[in-house]
Amino acid sequence: MSTRLFGTNGIRGVINQELTPQFLLDIGMAIGAHFKQSEIIVACDARTSSQMVKSAITSSLLASGCNVHDAGTIPTPSLQYAVSRRGFAGGVMITASHNPAPFNGIKVIGPDGVEVERKTEEKIERIYAERNFQLKPWNQVGEEFPFTEALELHKRGVLKQIEPKRIAKAKLKVMIDPGNGVGTLITPYLLRDLGCKVYTMNSDLDGTFPGRQPEPTPEALAGLSKAVKAVGADLGIAHDGDADRCIFVDEKGEAYYGDKSFALIADWFLTHNPGEKIVATFNCSKAIPDIAAKHGGKIIWTKVGAITVSRTVIETGAKLGGEENGGVFYAPHQPVRDGTMTASLMLQILAERGKPLSKLMAELPRYYVNKGKVPCKNELKEKVLSKLLIQASNLKTETLDGVKIWAEKDSWILLRPSGTEPVFRLYAESTQPKKAEQLVHEYQDKLTKIIHDAG
Ligand code: MG
């Protein structure tokens, strides 16, 4: 048994605490041993520590005999697209995505552009634990090359999936908030090329994230909402730190949870592709299966986690997947979440439908949502889950990821142990305005009591 280093989205840690130069060199050598003297593309986000991490990983990959193609500072989906389209054996992305500034992380990408599977992560963890590195003699050390076309390649790829002329005709005004992250390197330029009037805020690259937290939750986007209204924009767009996620604000300044915008994208997609499959994480709104039913589509539910969605999209041949947090997977482009692709799909929808976003959202099945969390030690989570199930034995429950309890036909609450933090996350939804809030309160109390008794 080796220690687990990879979490739900690669290796994450605080710089110079968990992620020390020595650790980075060692894990880099383990990754290098896995990739075996092949062509690897490496890139990073704009965090203060990203160059440090990239240098250590690059050094180890070269020492292991891999040739390293340095794509510089770019979004994660730009690296993923370059890996699959340019035939690299793999990629390493240095990013902590939406985590706070002290963190950094490493995502290992396979030849298909998707984060490697768990069994590959286990292999890398084993090489690391056994220090089974494959350092090469002097005449087999790898070479480093610049790779400068990632952003251009990615932009051209996105453009192939939409109708630029139609979008240009709509003359949309857009306010973009990349949150001082790498989304600023692609989305504003692409949207300008699409004929939009583009405004930006928090658009200087800054690893201290002075504008807002790197996670674009609707609650953190008050600045974007204000800015959208101030300039009279049709749309506000926010990315997370590495721009694989996208959250939208309508022309009235209202920010939507990611599963609401995903519902709109699903409706558009199924209008063009009736009967198709859609992959959705278990915490997504019921609006999505409602929309699928309307178009004769089929929902494939997955556990929460971007890699699980990507792998399910590939295995089932689905063309669209989505998460509650603003991740959208549009497989005709690439089967990974891609914030710039998601933003472009939204522009296509606005141009095609010719209505403001607030109207389009109002036409979707109406659900009220409420969310919450309850602290719970990791070692108690299993026990608490089984207690919850026993208590709810007279209600309809589903257990794909945590416990989803159906209070009534159109009201449910999901209680899910977080994979990254010592908390239970609660998501409730109902057609009745107060019901979701009531459910969260009721189950926060129940959960607190169960956790207290279990501890
Ligand atoms: Mg991210």
Side-chain angles (χ1 to χ4, degrees):
M1 266 299 283
S2 50
T3 18
R4 181 157 189 165
L5 302 171
F6 289 86
T8 40
N9 255 305
I11 296 170
R12 295 274 169 90
V14 172
I15 209 70
N16 284 341
Q17 289 180 25
E18 291 100 354
L19 302 191
T20 60
Q22 190 57 60
F23 170 79
L24 294 166
L25 288 168
D26 287 350
I27 194 70
M29 286 190 281
I31 295 167
H34 160 70
F35 278 126
K36 281 200 190 84
Q37 287 181 284
S38 50
E39 306 294 319
I40 305 299
I41 180 166
V42 176
C44 62
D45 68 14
R47 286 170 187 269
T48 55
S49 58
S50 285
Q51 296 297 338
M52 166 201 152
V53 179
K54 182 150 75 84
S55 300
I57 296 291
T58 297
S59 180
S60 292
L61 289 173
L62 294 171
S64 311
C66 294
N67 285 333
V68 172
H69 300 259
D70 180 1
T73 303
I74 57 170
T76 300
S78 303
L79 172 106
Q80 293 177 296
Y81 195 72
V83 169
S84 68
R85 296 308 149 116
R86 284 291 178 262
F88 287 101
V92 180
M93 182 71 199
I94 311 304
T95 180
S97 185
H98 61 274
N99 284 76
F103 285 79
N104 215 320
I106 300 162
K107 289 182 180 178
V108 181
I109 311 296
D112 56 0
V114 182
E115 289 96 329
V116 294
E117 288 173 273
R118 180 65 201 140
K119 68 172 193 288
T120 305
E121 293 176 349
E122 280 167 359
K123 180 184 159 198
I124 294 168
E125 286 167 352
R126 209 158 44 236
I127 299 171
Y128 170 86
E130 293 165 2
R131 303 187 66 78
N132 192 12
F133 307 139
Q134 305 289 317
L135 298 184
K136 297 298 169 199
W138 66 274
N139 56 353
Q140 289 176 40
V141 167
E143 283 187 72
E144 191 178 352
F145 305 96
F147 184 85
T148 54
E149 62 163 329
L151 290 172
E152 224 12 75
L153 191 67
H154 187 195
K155 244 175 18 177
R156 286 205 304 273
V158 172
L159 284 172
K160 279 186 222 156
Q161 304 298 333
I162 50 176
E163 295 174 280
K165 283 195 184 129
R166 192 165 187 173
I167 293 171
K169 257 196 208 146
K171 294 196 186 318
L172 296 164
K173 245 193 212 183
V174 186
M175 174 65 77
I176 304 172
D177 175 2
N180 303 102
V182 284
T184 197
L185 298 170
I186 181 164
T187 304
Y189 300 100
L190 180 81
L191 269 46
R192 185 196 60 194
D193 291 353
L194 285 170
C196 297
K197 171 80 180 154
V198 175
Y199 300 88
T200 56
M201 60 185 287
N202 302 327
S203 58
D204 47 328
L205 286 179
D206 190 334
T208 67
F209 302 108
R212 61 164 167 86
Q213 63 176 50
E215 174 149 40
T217 58
E219 298 79 16
L221 299 178
L224 176 59
S225 294
K226 255 191 215 159
V228 162
K229 285 190 283 182
V231 304
D234 300 294
L235 180 68
I237 290 173
H239 291 310
D240 68 325
D242 65 334
D244 55 0
R245 285 159 53 178
C246 193
I247 290 288
F248 296 99
V249 170
D250 71 20
E251 78 289 352
K252 293 179 176 164
E254 182 169 351
Y256 295 92
Y257 283 114
D259 51 347
K260 299 288 168 180
S261 42
F262 174 47
L264 183 59
I265 292 169
D267 184 61
W268 167 81
F269 171 76
L270 287 170
T271 305
H272 291 285
N273 306 275
E276 275 281 353
K277 304 181 272 281
I278 288 187
V279 177
T281 53
F282 199 47
N283 56 351
C284 275
S285 171
K286 188 171 177 292
I288 292 156
D290 291 352
I291 286 163
K294 185 176 105 186
H295 296 285
K298 184 172 174 272
I299 293 284
I300 302 164
W301 294 109
T302 69
K303 289 187 180 226
V304 174
I307 305 180
T308 311
V309 178
S310 281
R311 293 285 163 207
T312 309
V313 163
I314 293 170
E315 278 159 25
T316 60
K319 296 191 184 78
L320 183 68
E323 301 176 297
E324 169 270 347
N325 62 10
V328 172
F329 307 65
Y330 190 58
H333 169 60
Q334 60 175 344
V336 297
R337 53 187 185 181
D338 184 330
T340 306
M341 183 72 249
T342 309
S344 304
L345 288 177
M346 186 58 81
L347 293 174
Q348 174 75 23
I349 293 168
L350 290 180
E352 258 182 54
R353 300 210 163 159
K355 290 182 189 174
L357 182 58
S358 65
K359 271 247 167 61
L360 293 173
M361 286 295 192
E363 288 169 6
L364 294 176
R366 180 75 181 141
Y367 286 96
Y368 299 90
V369 288
N370 204 275
K371 305 187 187 197
K373 59 180 171 182
V374 173
C376 176
K377 286 187 196 138
N378 289 334
E379 59 270 24
L380 290 180
K381 282 174 176 172
E382 282 294 317
K383 201 168 155 189
V384 169
L385 265 181
S386 38
K387 278 261 172 69
L388 262 171
L389 264 175
I390 294 167
Q391 281 198 6
S393 55
N394 57 336
L395 295 166
K396 183 187 160 196
T397 55
E398 292 172 84
T399 56
L400 176 63
D401 193 351
V403 191
K404 193 182 267 187
I405 300 169
W406 290 85
E408 287 158 44
K409 192 165 156 278
D410 285 324
S411 306
W412 57 269
I413 181 159
L414 172 66
L415 305 111
R416 215 190 119 250
S418 163
T420 49
E421 286 175 64
V423 298
F424 262 84
R425 295 192 193 286
L426 285 68
Y427 311 77
E429 197 180 58
S430 174
T431 49
Q432 308 152 48
K434 290 272 168 240
K435 183 76 184 175
E437 198 183 331
Q438 256 171 34
L439 278 172
V440 168
H441 286 155
E442 181 188 333
Y443 278 89
Q444 265 171 340
D445 292 347
K446 280 189 181 167
L447 203 52
T448 307
K449 184 159 187 322
I450 293 175
I451 292 166
H452 181 265
D453 293 348

